[in-house]
């Protein structure tokens, strides 16, 4: 096995079991490992520190897997990690009302660069590191053993693959391809998913708990669901007795699927309005029309892809939230999210405080949302935390 020597003074994060070693922390590579090979990391004195995936094309040159020198990282090791991750999702799927969730969440499940989502009996995988790419035959075999899925589809069309020097793909890894439409169930609500064409991996299962919480306030209320996608918050709110729900998304496919989802769930289409539009434009149009709502959901895409984009993103979040606050009836609720890892909860609260000030409103934070248990945050890997939200009561 090839060896990589860490620079003196760079041991702390490795000892704290952070799984990333940046290229700048590496003193020297002995020999010439190929990208994706498992290598041994040594400190400057030559003592063992960890085993990890090597990639000299990535800023994260090593992705650490195992800190015990006596544990060999072989096929069995990967099978065990897959098994443990799948087992830990059993509670989510237990009552039969939910058959979609994230089964494997990359570093947080000790498999850096592997994402596996379950959609009923189909799986979608994203392979984001060359190390995981190398062990995919074993991982696919173990997923087949454990779950016997009807199909496994590779959705690795993420730009992060380019950082690892990997091609983008979008193909079935099993003999069967998934059908064009797969019906999934989340908390008893049915969704039509197009695994091959849908955004990300077809469905945003990270909002499962939050949809339910927001919907618990929706009875008899006039709801506006911004960035609705295929209707996660919309369907839950209608199901819980909202008097009306307006959904806004810029994607025609999302809006079309949302309309189908309303029918699939036997919900009252007369209580629903779908608008295909840019949310920022639509919020301004509502203001001109003097339209008001009792509950507004803001679930925008990631505005800050990196820390350097945070200032600009903060201004965009502030503006969006300010516009929404102006459309709420006195005492109305704003459920607002950020899925930017670079934006932490403290900064997000600050952004909302600015938005409230600019809108001339008082805001009380009444609930803090986070990501659900199938998107765990590993204590030694805070970067795994990305989804946060606030339920705000907006007064004035
Ligand atoms: N709330 C959704 C997930 C939202 S994902 C759910 O519960 O499933 C973000 C969505 O924002 C995507 O559907 C995307 O099409 C949409 N989007 C991105 N930019 C937009 C914009 N400027 N205006 C309207 N929709 C936008």
């Amino acid at each position: 096995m090839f060896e990589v020597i860490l620079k003196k003074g760079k041991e702390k994060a490795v000892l704290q079991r952070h799984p990333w070693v940046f290229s700048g922390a590496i003193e020297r590579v002995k020999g010439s490992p190929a990208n994706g090979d498992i290598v041994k990391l040594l400190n400057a004195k030559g003592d063992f520190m960890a085993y990890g995936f090597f990639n000299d094309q990535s800023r994260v040159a090593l992705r650490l897997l195992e800190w015990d020198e006596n544990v060999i990282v072989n096929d069995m090791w990967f099978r065990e990690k897959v098994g443990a991750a799948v087992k830990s999702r059993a509670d989510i799927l237990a009552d039969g009302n939910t058959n979609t969730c994230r089964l494997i969440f990359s570093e947080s499940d000790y498999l850096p660069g592997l994402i596996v989502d379950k959609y009923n009996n189909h799986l979608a995988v994203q392979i984001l590191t060359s190390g995981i790419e190398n062990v995919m035959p074993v991982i696919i075999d173990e997923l087949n053993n454990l779950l016997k899925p009807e199909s496994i589809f590779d959705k690795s069309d993420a730009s992060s693959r380019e950082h690892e020097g990997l091609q983008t793909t979008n193909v079935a890894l099993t003999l069967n391809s998934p059908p064009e439409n797969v019906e999934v169930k989340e908390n008893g609500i049915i969704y039509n998913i197009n695994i091959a064409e849908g955004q990300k991996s077809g469905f945003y299962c990270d909002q499962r708990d939050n949809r339910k919480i927001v919907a618990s306030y929706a009875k008899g209320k006039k709801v506006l669901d911004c960035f609705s996608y295929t209707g996660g918050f919309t369907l839950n709110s209608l199901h819980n007795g909202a008097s009306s729900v307006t959904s806004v998304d810029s994607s025609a496919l999302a809006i079309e699927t949302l309309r189908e989802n309303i029918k699939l769930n036997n919900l009252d289409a007369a209580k629903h309005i779908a608008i295909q539009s840019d949310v920022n434009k639509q919020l301004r149009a509502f203001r001109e029309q003097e339209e008001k709502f009792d509950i507004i959901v803001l679930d925008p895409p990631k505005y800050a892809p990196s820390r350097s984009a945070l200032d600009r993103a903060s201004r965009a979040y502030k503006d969006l939230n300010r516009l929404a606050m102006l459309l709420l009836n006195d005492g109305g609720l704003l459920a607002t999210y950020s899925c930017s890892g670079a934006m932490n909860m403290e900064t997000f609260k600050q952004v909302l405080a600015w938005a409230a000030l600019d809108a001339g409103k008082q805001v009380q934070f009444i609930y803090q949302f986070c990501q659900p248990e199938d998107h765990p945050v590993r204590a030694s890997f805070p970067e795994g935390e990305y989804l946060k939200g606030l339920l705000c009561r907006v007064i004035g």
Side-chain angles (χ1 to χ4, degrees):
M1 186 180 284
F2 290 108
E3 291 175 345
V4 172
I5 319 294
L6 197 67
K7 276 187 185 155
K8 212 169 158 218
K10 296 284 180 187
E11 297 87 355
K12 197 169 157 205
V14 178
L15 291 171
Q16 289 173 343
R17 305 213 163 195
H18 193 287
W20 290 350
V21 178
F22 290 99
S23 52
I26 288 175
E27 179 66 45
R28 162 165 85 88
V29 179
K30 284 189 174 172
S32 47
N35 286 337
D37 278 357
I38 295 173
V39 296
K40 200 186 252 197
L41 178 68
L42 308 178
N43 67 14
K45 284 189 274 171
D47 304 325
F48 172 86
M49 295 202 82
Y51 296 110
F53 287 140
F54 176 80
N55 191 324
D56 66 2
Q57 252 179 281
S58 170
R59 208 166 55 94
V60 184
L62 283 184
R63 292 177 193 262
L64 302 180
L65 300 159
E66 180 57 62
W67 282 258
D68 182 342
E69 186 171 14
N70 300 316
V71 175
I72 308 299
V73 183
N74 54 13
D75 289 0
M76 209 50 223
W77 189 95
F78 287 101
R79 286 183 195 276
E80 276 171 18
K81 294 294 182 223
V82 169
V86 168
K87 195 169 163 214
S88 71
R89 273 58 174 186
D91 285 349
I92 297 171
L93 306 165
D95 67 3
N97 286 326
T98 298
N99 61 17
T100 179
C101 71
R102 178 147 292 182
L103 293 174
I104 298 178
F105 182 41
S106 207
E107 277 88 349
S108 295
D109 282 306
Y110 310 95
L111 292 165
L114 177 66
I115 290 174
V116 180
D117 290 322
K118 173 180 163 69
Y119 296 110
N120 201 340
N121 293 323
H122 301 270
L123 300 181
V125 302
Q126 293 178 60
I127 305 153
L128 307 173
T129 57
S130 50
I132 284 293
E133 180 118 311
N134 282 350
V135 296
M136 269 323 271
V138 176
I139 285 170
I140 297 282
D141 189 58
E142 193 59 19
L143 290 169
N144 277 325
N145 286 344
L146 294 170
L147 300 157
K148 309 203 166 28
E150 284 172 39
S151 75
I152 304 179
F153 194 78
D154 184 355
K155 280 287 291 180
S156 306
D157 50 359
S159 61
S160 43
R161 269 178 77 84
E162 287 160 23
H163 302 310
E164 290 257 324
L166 294 168
Q167 305 285 318
T168 59
T169 52
N170 214 338
V171 292
L173 297 173
T174 43
L175 283 179
N176 294 335
S177 285
E180 197 181 356
N181 287 311
V182 175
E183 260 184 33
V184 302
K185 211 165 29 165
E186 180 193 88
N187 288 324
I189 307 271
I190 303 165
Y191 298 81
N192 222 334
I193 308 252
N194 183 327
I195 295 180
E197 299 289 324
Q199 294 172 17
K200 208 165 76 171
S201 58
F203 185 60
Y204 295 89
C205 59
D206 54 1
Q207 289 284 30
R208 180 188 320 109
D209 297 346
N210 301 336
R211 291 169 181 140
K212 203 171 160 180
I213 294 164
V214 169
S216 72
Y217 293 88
K219 196 170 170 34
K221 298 286 165 47
K222 185 178 171 192
V223 178
L224 173 63
D225 179 10
C226 298
F227 308 95
S228 64
Y229 191 46
T230 54
F233 288 96
T234 297
L235 300 168
N236 279 277
S237 299
L238 285 170
H239 182 76
N240 264 25
S243 59
S244 77
V245 181
T246 303
S247 321
V248 184
D249 199 286
S250 54
S251 153
L253 181 63
I255 293 284
E256 188 191 316
T257 313
L258 166 50
R259 288 208 174 99
E260 286 164 21
N261 288 342
I262 299 245
K263 284 190 218 146
L264 270 179
N265 289 282
N266 295 318
L267 293 164
D268 186 354
K271 291 186 176 160
H272 181 239
I273 301 166
I275 301 175
Q276 188 205 335
S277 174
D278 176 89
V279 164
N280 285 286
K281 271 196 205 142
Q282 191 55 43
L283 293 182
R284 290 189 164 84
F286 283 140
R287 185 140 167 78
E288 276 166 29
Q289 295 155 15
E290 295 183 16
E291 187 82 45
K292 292 264 179 157
F293 300 89
D294 302 315
I295 299 179
I296 299 181
V297 179
L298 293 177
D299 185 19
K302 200 195 282 181
Y303 283 176
S306 64
R307 217 164 283 172
S308 59
L310 191 58
D311 274 356
R312 207 170 145 191
S314 295
R315 285 194 292 277
Y317 281 115
K318 188 198 85 172
D319 216 42
L320 179 70
N321 281 279
R322 178 184 64 84
L323 283 170
M325 285 175 190
L326 291 169
L327 295 176
L328 279 168
N329 288 319
D330 189 9
L333 296 179
L334 173 65
T336 180
Y337 300 91
S338 163
C339 59
S340 305
M343 164 84 70
N344 62 25
M345 183 58 102
E346 204 184 322
T347 313
F348 197 45
K349 283 182 179 165
Q350 186 62 58
V351 163
L352 284 156
W354 294 334
L357 210 58
D358 280 9
K361 304 272 182 178
Q362 303 289 329
V363 161
Q364 295 171 326
F365 300 135
I366 59 175
Y367 188 81
Q368 299 192 11
F369 301 100
C370 59
Q371 58 206 61
E373 63 186 280
D374 51 339
H375 295 65
V377 183
R378 182 169 145 191
S380 58
F381 184 61
E383 289 83 350
E385 185 172 1
Y386 68 99
L387 178 63
K388 70 219 66 76
L390 287 159
L391 187 62
C392 311
R393 185 179 287 122
V394 179
I395 302 156

